[in-house]
Amino acid sequence: MNGAADTLLHRHLLVFASAGMLAGALLGGRSGVSPLFFGMGAVCCGIAVAVCWQSRFVGLLLLADLLLASSFAAALTLQQLTDPLQMGTEKTVHTVYDVVKETGNHPQSHTFQVRLRNVGDRPVPPYRISLTVTGKARDLTAVGDRIEATVRFNLPQSARNPGDRAARDRLYAQGVAYTGYQGAPGRLVDHRFTPQVPIVALRLAVQRYAEQHWPGETGAFLVGLLFGGSEGLDAQTQADFYATGVSHVLAVSGAQVSILIGLGWLLLRPLGQHRWWSVAILGSSLALYVAMTGGQPSVVRAATMAMILIVEQGIGRRPDSLNVLAVTLIAMLVVHPLQVLDAGFLLSYLATLGLILLAPRMADALRGWPHWMADVVAVTVTAQVAVLPFAWVNFHQWSWAELPANLLLVPLVEAATPLALLALMTAGLPPLSFGLASVAGILSHLFLRGIEMLSRWTHPMTVAAGWAWAGAYVFVMAVLFGAFGGPPAMRKRIGIAGLVLLLLLPLFPWHSSRLTVVFLDVGQGDAALLILPGGAAWLIDGGGTVGASAAFYDIGASTVVPALRALGVQRLAGIVATHNDADHIGGLPAVMRSFPVAMLVSGNQSADSQAYRELYEVAHAYHIPYRRVSAGDHWRPAPNTEVDVFTPFFPPMHGTAHDENNNGVTFRLRFGAISFFFAADIAEEAEAKLVEEGVPQTTVLKVAHHGSASSSSEAFLQRMAPQAAVISVGAHNRYGHPTQAALQRLAATGAHIYRTDQEGAIRFETDGQRAWVTTQRSPATAHQTIGTSARREPFRSLTLIAPSGVLFTGDGRVDSACAIMAAGGYRWTRKKWNG
């Protein structure tokens, strides 16, 4: 280690220590390795540090020690949160709980974070659960209540689909062990004063003020701007925020904290001679503000950094921003190491790191510009540069509108924020407060309209970036900013060329010559993606939410759109809306807002459903052409690929028990010797007619109507003779799908049954002669033998399975590589699908 490196290590030892803790927490939070391993490793490193204290490598040994110690802490915390009460997947119990805070407020339900006191007849440690309360019970529950009620417990869900940001990680990052659902009012045992009670009352007062002075969407936006969250913003507005890359304005962070501190110093100037009084008042105000925002990681980070900087300045020390950032990171990870699983936590630190390291250099490079403009450009660009690899790898999207939106429109928000805060602070002076609120409202309205206009001109592009790409990006940026030696001119040329190549590479994904069919897990609904040879993509239905929850939960935006981006979809050659049930088409409007769509295909749907009307309103707004199909239609969407439509019949079926379902679109997709039959929700009447008309056999059957008793008749299944059957169904659904009778009839055909409620998304990939199948959630099922009959050529695949999921699926040519990895603790099996 040379002298310069030694100086860097000792000057920013806290920075290296925080990096070690961050890496350790990620390792412990993502792995299933026993904490005992990390603990033993930490002890060994500690001994090594003590022995080598005078060594110049002491810093590196300290890093290793912190990495292992933080890994131990994260793994131990993860174990403590993983089903501590042995509830299993789902369990309904009588419980007593304390309401800690409200985390979500929707028209039909409230979400609270609560602490358990009793489960059944026994007291338990105060584990936290995220509880959704619906019906009359939602108006009878408040922060500070101790409630006795019957609650349905569930374990937090793991990733169900490609691109899924698992709810489990988000909840574990908050220290939540379970999710819960309460539909009936409980009994109020006690109401206790907690620090959250006045905070909730204060936030309600702010919301009432917003409703009076900023009506409608503007008020909801300003409340979200000041305190975080998107409650009150409609689905289209939220989609516009994501499409233009400005969703970060609703995540409270350094900008709001800086404005609050600036206003605080301005108001506290008369106490300047009593500096510590000012610091104490400002610190209390920051603590109150953090509590009102719900303690989001980004605002906790910003407030902690701000207070450290203020105290250091108060005692006459020159603060080092990098070390302050490192101390804040270390403190937050010590308090709760699993915060590292929260994407907002990492994005906040990356953006701040970019501002500290890169913004001054870029501002210097723009010395010829006006000072204010150079600062705005430097801050905007460097924050984007810092978060780019994490954002592309995790969210798989980018829009050219991000730069103009952040440069031209976000300054309106930065101007509206202090005005809105001052309006709240001067609420007792109506003329002044009204004037400030009016200007803040006008600026916010202009911002919302600008975002709306920008989003109409562009669709975000899908980015096919992985962690290897992210590593290359970091290396190129390090070269560009002089982390390595060599002539500056040469470094600049190499860095710029590498950066341009890296930025362009993920925007042009490579397309396979194979057919890929992915059945997405959309709960009690249907959605399947077809990626044809050459890359053209078709979406068959888009899931949807039925009942009251549809008002506040859009499965298209939260599940289907991220999955399509993770699968590399840039645009859709077509969407097939099989029929008008909300659980099939409710998620399609969000998809059409997010991707260019060349065509919308449907059958003989009636126009009397809300889901249908919304679907075609969005299609009309985005100028998407519409095509009706019926039995007998045939086309070739790609080479060696054929589509045959079997229903709706002409004339349509009438007088059956399930007319709407029986007149849905069903079709057969054939690629070489492999075929997929999509049966929508047809019932036994339509199945009988298909059998009568001689529907051909198929390789893979998408089971009709989620495996209901009225579908999957014995005659139909024997005629289809599927080798694999996919049931798209929601876990623990109220309909009892799939029924035992349907499962028995499917099993009698010898088909291997896949279920989205058990395996998550199910992916088939075929070259026309062989097929490979992988599942998202349960890799143990991905290597079972599929079928035993001998009707067609055998399908073979090799699946490499790690403890965290399926890593690789391929054919016999990778046997040796998989065998080598198997020696390292991975499992591999050969599957034979004898058709």
Side-chain angles (χ1 to χ4, degrees):
M1 184 181 294
N2 58 35
D6 265 339
T7 302
L8 180 64
L9 178 62
H10 288 94
R11 181 182 174 187
H12 291 296
L13 185 59
L14 288 172
V15 176
F16 287 92
S18 66
M21 288 195 70
L22 182 65
L26 281 169
L27 177 63
R30 293 290 183 186
S31 69
V33 181
S34 169
L36 181 62
F37 168 79
F38 296 119
M40 293 174 61
V43 170
C44 292
C45 279
I47 294 172
V49 168
V51 171
C52 304
W53 186 253
Q54 300 300 322
S55 170
R56 65 198 317 178
F57 297 105
V58 65
L60 297 178
L61 291 171
L62 177 62
L63 290 186
D65 186 50
L66 287 172
L67 185 146
L68 289 168
S70 54
S71 299
F72 171 79
L76 186 61
T77 307
L78 186 63
Q79 280 196 352
Q80 292 170 344
L81 288 174
T82 305
D83 200 10
L85 299 174
Q86 301 299 308
M87 291 284 188
T89 305
E90 180 182 35
K91 191 172 184 179
T92 300
V93 298
H94 196 69
T95 182
V96 176
Y97 59 81
D98 291 336
V99 182
V100 177
K101 65 179 179 179
E102 184 174 340
T103 57
N105 185 352
H106 302 288
Q108 304 297 330
S109 71
H110 293 175
T111 305
F112 300 92
Q113 195 173 109
V114 306
R115 286 194 184 99
L116 298 179
R117 292 298 177 189
N118 292 81
V119 172
D121 296 328
R122 61 190 178 99
V124 297
Y127 296 117
R128 292 196 177 198
I129 73 170
S130 178
L131 179 66
T132 300
V133 182
T134 64
K136 293 182 179 179
R138 74 183 192 277
D139 297 323
L140 303 175
T141 307
V143 173
D145 287 353
R146 177 166 290 181
I147 303 289
E148 181 181 2
T150 299
V151 174
R152 188 178 75 204
F153 285 85
N154 289 284
L155 292 177
Q157 292 182 339
S158 58
R160 307 186 311 177
N161 293 284
D164 196 357
R165 295 183 289 279
R168 183 173 63 182
D169 288 352
R170 176 175 52 82
L171 292 172
Y172 283 168
Q174 299 172 17
V176 171
Y178 297 98
T179 60
Y181 174 85
Q182 178 187 335
R187 182 177 71 88
L188 179 63
V189 177
D190 189 15
H191 180 81
R192 313 179 73 183
F193 179 85
T194 69
Q196 280 289 332
V197 172
I199 291 170
V200 171
L202 186 57
R203 179 145 184 170
L204 287 174
V206 170
Q207 290 176 342
R208 286 194 296 270
Y209 181 93
E211 291 171 359
Q212 294 172 2
H213 294 81
W214 304 308
E217 190 177 49
T218 301
F221 169 68
L222 277 169
V223 171
L225 178 66
L226 294 177
F227 301 107
S230 57
E231 296 171 12
L233 297 177
D234 60 31
Q236 181 62 63
T237 302
Q238 294 184 47
D240 293 345
F241 275 49
Y242 283 101
T244 53
V246 297
S247 56
H248 60 85
V249 300
L250 296 177
V252 181
S253 59
Q256 288 89 336
V257 169
S258 299
I259 290 170
L260 184 64
I261 291 174
L263 290 176
W265 280 127
L266 183 66
L267 297 174
L268 292 171
R269 287 186 68 180
L271 298 177
Q273 65 272 27
H274 305 293
R275 180 179 295 173
W276 289 109
W277 282 106
S278 300
V279 171
I281 294 172
L282 195 58
S284 301
S285 302
L286 279 177
L288 176 62
Y289 182 68
V290 170
M292 289 187 68
T293 63
Q296 301 173 32
S298 56
V299 71
V300 172
R301 187 270 312 158
T304 305
M305 285 189 67
M307 286 310 301
I308 294 174
L309 289 169
I310 290 171
V311 170
E312 283 197 327
Q313 287 181 338
I315 62 177
R317 289 186 57 183
R318 182 180 178 183
D320 186 306
S321 298
L322 272 180
N323 280 331
V324 171
L325 179 65
V327 168
T328 307
L329 177 59
I330 291 170
M332 292 184 71
L333 290 178
V334 167
V335 171
H336 184 52
L338 290 188
Q339 288 183 90
V340 76
L341 299 178
D342 187 348
F345 177 88
L346 294 174
L347 284 171
S348 175
Y349 275 97
L350 285 173
T352 307
L353 184 65
L355 293 176
I356 293 172
L357 291 178
L358 307 180
R361 296 191 180 191
M362 188 163 187
D364 288 342
L366 301 175
R367 279 191 294 254
W369 294 29
H371 182 69
W372 66 269
M373 185 181 296
D375 287 344
V376 169
V377 172
V379 168
T380 301
V381 172
T382 53
Q384 294 286 321
V385 165
V387 302
L388 187 66
F390 185 85
W392 278 19
V393 170
N394 284 274
F395 305 112
H396 302 285
Q397 73 173 46
W398 177 81
S399 172
W400 66 264
E402 287 187 17
L403 196 58
N406 281 279
L407 285 175
L408 303 177
L409 296 177
V410 169
L412 296 175
V413 170
E414 294 172 349
T417 303
L419 294 175
L421 278 173
L422 283 172
L424 292 174
M425 292 177 180
T426 58
L429 302 171
L432 178 59
S433 178
F434 178 78
L436 293 169
S438 298
V439 178
I442 292 171
L443 293 174
S444 299
H445 180 76
L446 291 174
F447 172 80
L448 291 172
R449 298 292 75 80
I451 293 299
E452 182 182 3
M453 290 176 58
L454 270 180
S455 68
R456 293 297 176 272
W457 297 339
T458 180
H459 281 286
M461 299 182 67
T462 295
V463 178
W467 287 111
W469 176 90
Y473 176 91
V474 172
F475 176 79
V476 168
M477 293 304 297
V479 170
L480 188 59
F481 284 91
F484 302 97
M490 181 62 70
R491 286 201 315 265
K492 187 175 180 181
R493 293 192 194 100
I494 294 174
I496 291 176
L499 185 61
V500 170
L501 179 63
L502 279 173
L503 293 179
L504 291 177
L505 190 63
L507 300 179
F508 300 95
W510 173 79
H511 297 302
S512 171
S513 60
R514 295 178 174 180
L515 168 69
T516 300
V517 179
V518 184
F519 296 91
L520 301 177
D521 179 2
V522 289
Q524 187 66 14
D526 267 22
L529 175 69
L530 317 179
I531 303 179
L532 304 178
W538 284 74
L539 182 65
I540 318 303
D541 290 332
T545 309
V546 180
S549 58
F552 61 87
Y553 180 69
D554 187 345
I555 202 165
S558 62
T559 298
V560 180
V561 170
L564 299 189
R565 294 205 185 283
L567 291 166
V569 174
Q570 290 278 11
R571 57 186 57 83
L572 289 166
I575 290 177
V576 178
T578 60
H579 61 297
N580 284 346
D581 283 356
D583 62 325
H584 286 248
I585 65 172
L588 291 179
V591 175
M592 292 190 291
R593 295 185 187 107
S594 303
F595 294 92
V597 180
M599 183 189 309
L600 176 61
V601 177
S602 68
N604 296 317
Q605 282 94 339
S606 58
D608 59 354
S609 74
Q610 176 62 31
Y612 175 93
R613 287 191 291 272
E614 182 181 1
L615 176 67
Y616 284 92
E617 285 172 4
V618 175
H620 177 73
Y622 283 84
H623 309 291
I624 299 172
Y626 169 56
R627 173 182 176 182
R628 285 186 181 272
V629 296
S630 59
D633 285 353
H634 172 90
W635 73 89
R636 296 175 179 268
N640 199 29
T641 307
E642 298 181 4
V643 173
D644 293 287
V645 179
F646 289 91
T647 64
F649 300 107
F650 186 82
M653 299 186 75
H654 290 293
T656 69
H658 312 88
D659 281 354
E660 185 70 24
N661 288 345
N662 283 325
N663 289 315
V665 177
T666 65
F667 65 96
R668 179 177 182 254
L669 171 68
R670 186 174 65 84
F671 177 58
I674 311 301
S675 60
F676 296 81
F677 192 91
F678 295 85
D681 275 1
I682 59 171
E684 53 191 352
E685 299 92 347
E687 291 179 347
K689 191 168 183 180
L690 287 174
V691 171
E692 180 183 338
E693 295 187 354
V695 63
Q697 293 184 353
T698 191
T699 311
V700 180
L701 171 66
K702 199 292 295 182
V703 175
H705 204 190
H706 323 291
S708 71
S710 61
S711 303
S712 303
S713 61
E714 184 176 355
F716 178 72
L717 293 179
Q718 288 182 353
R719 176 66 190 177
M720 299 298 291
Q723 298 178 50
V726 176
I727 305 176
S728 184
V729 64
H732 313 292
N733 63 85
R734 60 181 176 175
Y735 308 103
H737 295 163
T739 62
Q740 193 60 35
L743 290 173
Q744 290 174 354
R745 292 193 295 268
L746 283 164
T749 67
H752 187 88
I753 301 172
Y754 292 92
R755 295 170 49 170
T756 57
D757 62 332
Q758 295 178 351
E759 286 119 343
I762 299 159
R763 173 175 179 149
F764 292 84
E765 187 173 349
T766 174
D767 60 3
Q769 298 298 322
R770 299 173 297 172
W772 295 263
V773 57
T774 54
T775 63
Q776 182 77 22
R777 195 189 293 176
S778 302
T781 63
H783 66 269
Q784 294 175 356
T785 301
I786 305 175
T788 56
S789 60
R791 294 189 297 270
R792 298 185 184 92
E793 292 184 8
F795 298 178
R796 297 183 306 167
S797 74
L798 190 84
T799 302
L800 176 64
I801 303 173
S804 59
V806 177
L807 293 185
F808 181 83
T809 301
D811 56 25
R813 287 174 293 181
V814 295
D815 284 5
S816 57
C818 290
I820 292 171
M821 295 188 73
Y826 295 95
R827 306 194 307 273
W828 67 280
T829 60
R830 179 181 298 283
K831 294 184 294 188
K832 290 188 178 180
W833 188 350
N834 295 316

